[in-house]
């Protein structure tokens, strides 16, 4: 695996490639505003309204920026100095919150009082207790070892989550990171309780640096960039947060050709913004985001066969489509509720094989993705955890910002 960092049309692109194709793309503006709000940012907010019938509060966390704080998880946010000592959240309260999800269409950013301090191997969550292991770590011996290490910190009143990266990491490395995360938390809280509302206590790293942090350490063989500035920033980040990964950073040599051309970057993104995806068999997918959900339709297209083989052909197309749908969800960063209309299969065994194939493919996705079931109408329900905006929304937002700057 390779993590690619490059600039293109006023965008910074971070992409994961397996050498054959680009698996995922994140895009962000080349020139970001200092007041840009990102997932992971921590603020001192002021509660403007509490709506009991939806069990939520609306918090102004940045000047003029309202966020949605669910009270259903019963996490008590940390109040600033002078705040009450009980577990209520009332209008006028000044509390420390973290952005958990970007604003999506008409929905404001989602906030939480449970503050996540994220490392490469461990996530430290304030406001909850216990220890958890990534579901993607399935080896029982590894899970047991990690639980034993994290369990030593359980009495301190934190929730520690071992990330997928932690599976093959030395115990000493894990302990060093946990101690570093605790120091970051202490700094945030010690300063935060005396800060005024709307101040940012800690900014999340840019998306391309977060991808370095979040990438699977044992899978990423190289971090490649063709831009001098990105190389310097990545080098600085690795020195501070992941020195053992520094030797993976490579400055792309133009003698090997342009990075864009070698990895087919521009064409991949262009295709990822189109609703139609052609399959090798001649069939195709139509991907249509709507306000409530994302629909994916599987069509036979040019993939025709003799009438007696029609069900066999349909089963083959559906399996090919399942693999491509899993890839497209990750590439396009589709999230929320996804409904797939596969070609109807009469054989129950073919349906079973299709569902198993789809479940196996989505397990490769680092984002939590669940294949729910097939409905009576033959539609397959999938849910994918929301976080960053879709690739389409990322690109269009950057283009809109650029157009706005040119019009000024």
């Amino acid at each position: 695996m390779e993590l690619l960092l490059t600039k293109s049309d006023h965008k910074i692109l971070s992409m994961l490639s397996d050498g054959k194709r680009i698996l995922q793309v994140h895009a962000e503006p080349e020139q970001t505003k200092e007041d840009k709000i990102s997932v992971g940012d921590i603020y001192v907010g002021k509660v403007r309204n509490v709506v009991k019938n939806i069990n939520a509060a609306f918090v102004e966390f940045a000047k003029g920026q309202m966020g949605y704080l669910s009270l259903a998880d019963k996490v008590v946010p940390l109040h600033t100095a002078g705040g009450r000592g009980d577990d209520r959240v009332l209008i006028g309260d000044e509390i420390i919150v973290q952005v958990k999800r970007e604003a999506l269409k008409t929905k404001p950013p989602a906030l939480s009082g449970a503050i996540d301090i994220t490392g490469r191997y461990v996530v430290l969550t304030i406001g909850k207790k216990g220890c958890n292991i990534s579901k993607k770590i399935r080896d029982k011996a590894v899970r047991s070892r990690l639980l034993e290490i994290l369990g030593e910190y359980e009495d301190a009143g934190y929730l520690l989550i071992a990330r997928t990266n932690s599976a093959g990491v030395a115990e000493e490395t894990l302990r060093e990171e946990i101690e570093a995360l605790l120091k970051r938390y202490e700094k945030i809280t010690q300063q935060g309780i005396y800060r005024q509302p709307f101040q940012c206590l800690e900014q999340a790293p840019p998306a391309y640096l977060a991808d370095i942090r979040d990438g699977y350490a044992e899978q990423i063989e190289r971090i490649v960039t063709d831009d001098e500035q990105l190389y310097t920033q990545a080098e600085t980040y690795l020195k501070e947060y992941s020195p053992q990964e520094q030797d993976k950073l490579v400055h792309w040599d133009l003698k090997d050709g342009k990075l864009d051309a070698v990895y087919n970057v521009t064409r991949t993104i262009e295709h990822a913004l189109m609703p139609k995806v052609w399959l090798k068999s001649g069939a195709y997918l139509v991907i249509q985001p709507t306000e409530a959900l994302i629909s994916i339709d599987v069509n036979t297209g040019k993939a025709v066969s003799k009438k007696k083989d029609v069900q066999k052909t349909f089963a083959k197309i559906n399996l090919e489509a399942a693999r491509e749908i899993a890839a497209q969800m990750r590439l396009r960063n589709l999230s929320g509720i996804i409904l797939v209309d596969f070609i109807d299969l009469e054989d129950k065994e073919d349906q079973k094989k299709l569902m198993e194939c789809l479940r196996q493919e989505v397990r490769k996705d680092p984002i939590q993705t669940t294949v729910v079931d097939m409905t009576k109408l033959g539609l397959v329900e999938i849910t994918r955890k929301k976080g960053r905006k879709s690739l389409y929304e990322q690109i269009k937002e950057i283009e809109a910002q650029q157009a706005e700057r040119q019009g000024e």
Side-chain angles (χ1 to χ4, degrees):
M1 290 282 193
E2 293 178 311
L3 182 64
L4 313 175
L5 307 177
T6 189
K7 292 181 180 179
S8 174
D9 295 329
H10 307 287
K11 298 184 291 288
I12 296 176
L13 302 173
S14 58
M15 301 161 288
L16 189 65
S17 169
D18 64 359
K20 297 177 181 178
R21 66 184 291 181
I22 292 174
L23 304 177
Q24 67 183 41
V25 182
H26 292 138
E28 59 186 320
E30 187 175 344
Q31 295 179 339
T32 56
K33 297 180 180 178
E34 291 185 3
D35 59 351
K36 183 182 182 294
I37 295 165
S38 302
V39 172
D41 288 351
I42 301 171
Y43 289 87
V44 176
K46 190 160 188 172
V47 180
R48 295 302 188 189
N49 195 14
V50 176
V51 186
K52 292 184 178 180
N53 60 347
I54 62 171
N55 200 19
F58 289 90
V59 180
E60 185 179 3
F61 62 96
K63 195 65 177 177
Q65 176 65 64
M66 206 69 72
Y68 174 90
L69 175 68
S70 174
L71 302 178
D73 56 6
K74 298 181 180 179
V75 173
V76 183
L78 182 65
H79 286 67
T80 57
R84 295 181 322 282
D86 57 35
D87 59 359
R88 293 177 298 168
V89 174
L90 303 176
I91 294 174
D93 283 355
E94 295 177 6
I95 56 178
I96 295 177
V97 292
Q98 185 173 41
V99 180
K100 298 292 184 176
R101 191 195 65 214
E102 292 180 313
L104 297 171
K105 297 174 184 176
T106 58
K107 298 178 181 178
L111 309 175
S112 176
I115 307 299
D116 288 337
I117 312 295
T118 304
R120 187 162 181 76
Y121 309 111
V122 178
V123 177
L124 173 71
T125 300
I126 314 303
K128 296 181 180 180
K129 297 180 181 180
C131 50
N132 289 327
I133 310 298
S134 167
K135 293 179 181 178
K136 292 186 179 291
I137 299 177
R138 295 187 172 87
D139 188 297
K140 290 183 179 179
V142 174
R143 293 181 67 87
S144 178
R145 179 182 75 90
L146 291 171
L147 281 171
E148 185 177 346
I149 296 170
L150 300 189
E152 296 177 20
Y153 298 85
E154 195 170 354
D155 293 338
Y158 309 117
L159 170 62
L160 287 169
I161 303 171
R163 308 183 71 193
T164 309
N165 278 334
S166 65
V169 175
E171 180 177 335
E172 182 182 356
T173 303
L174 284 178
R175 292 187 185 279
E176 287 176 356
E177 181 167 277
I178 292 171
E179 292 301 324
L181 295 177
L182 287 169
K183 287 180 181 178
R184 279 175 60 190
Y185 167 66
E186 289 174 8
K187 181 180 178 182
I188 290 167
T189 53
Q190 288 173 2
Q191 294 180 357
I193 60 174
Y194 298 109
R195 292 284 190 90
Q196 294 298 311
F198 322 134
Q199 292 189 14
C200 184
L201 303 179
E202 183 174 284
Q203 279 192 313
Y208 61 95
L209 293 181
D211 284 340
I212 293 176
R213 178 195 66 194
D214 298 338
Y216 291 169
E218 73 280 5
Q219 293 181 8
I220 301 294
E221 297 171 358
R222 296 202 308 166
I223 302 168
V224 183
T225 181
D226 59 353
D227 184 86
E228 191 67 43
Q229 185 181 26
L230 293 181
Y231 181 90
T232 301
Q233 291 171 341
E235 185 179 43
T236 302
Y237 183 84
L238 287 169
K239 281 181 180 178
E240 183 172 359
Y241 294 104
S242 192
Q244 68 276 17
E245 305 288 319
Q246 287 183 75
D247 59 341
K248 293 183 178 181
L249 183 61
V250 176
H251 198 295
W252 179 259
D253 192 341
L254 288 176
K255 292 178 182 177
D256 297 325
K258 289 185 177 181
L259 185 143
D260 185 290
V262 173
Y263 289 93
N264 209 17
V265 174
T266 299
R267 193 175 179 188
T268 297
I269 293 176
E270 286 176 352
H271 286 187
L273 301 179
M274 296 177 182
K276 185 178 286 188
V277 180
W278 285 100
L279 306 178
K280 289 182 179 179
S281 63
Y284 63 91
L285 312 175
V286 178
I287 303 174
Q288 294 283 3
T290 69
E291 191 71 27
L293 51 83
I294 295 163
S295 69
I296 301 179
D297 190 30
V298 182
N299 295 278
T300 55
K302 302 173 184 176
V304 292
S305 183
K306 295 179 182 179
K307 194 170 183 180
K308 63 179 180 179
D309 295 327
V310 68
Q311 280 296 311
K312 187 176 180 181
T313 301
F314 288 170
K316 187 176 179 181
I317 292 171
N318 278 340
L319 290 174
E320 182 186 17
R323 288 187 282 270
E324 188 60 32
I325 285 167
Q328 289 294 324
M329 287 193 299
R330 185 175 179 185
L331 175 65
R332 298 173 184 235
N333 197 30
L334 304 178
S335 60
I337 300 170
I338 300 165
L339 288 183
V340 184
D341 188 6
F342 285 102
I343 302 168
D344 292 338
L345 297 173
E346 295 175 357
D347 192 321
K348 297 292 183 183
E349 190 62 30
D350 285 342
Q351 293 180 10
K352 185 178 178 181
K353 287 180 181 177
L354 172 61
M355 295 298 286
E356 180 53 37
C357 174
L358 188 57
R359 289 192 172 98
Q360 188 174 341
E361 290 298 318
V362 301
R363 288 192 192 109
K364 301 173 185 177
D365 195 334
I367 303 296
Q368 183 180 332
T369 307
T370 304
V371 178
V372 182
D373 207 349
M374 183 180 287
T375 69
K376 292 181 180 179
L377 295 175
L379 300 174
V380 175
E381 299 175 87
I382 303 173
T383 61
R384 191 168 184 270
K385 188 176 179 180
K386 293 182 178 180
R388 293 175 180 170
K389 295 175 181 176
S390 69
L391 177 61
Y392 177 85
E393 290 174 304
Q394 291 173 36
I395 297 290
K396 294 304 175 185
E397 188 176 280
I398 294 168
E399 290 177 349
Q401 290 174 5
Q402 186 60 27
E404 186 179 340
R405 287 195 195 100
Q406 290 175 349
E408 290 177 353

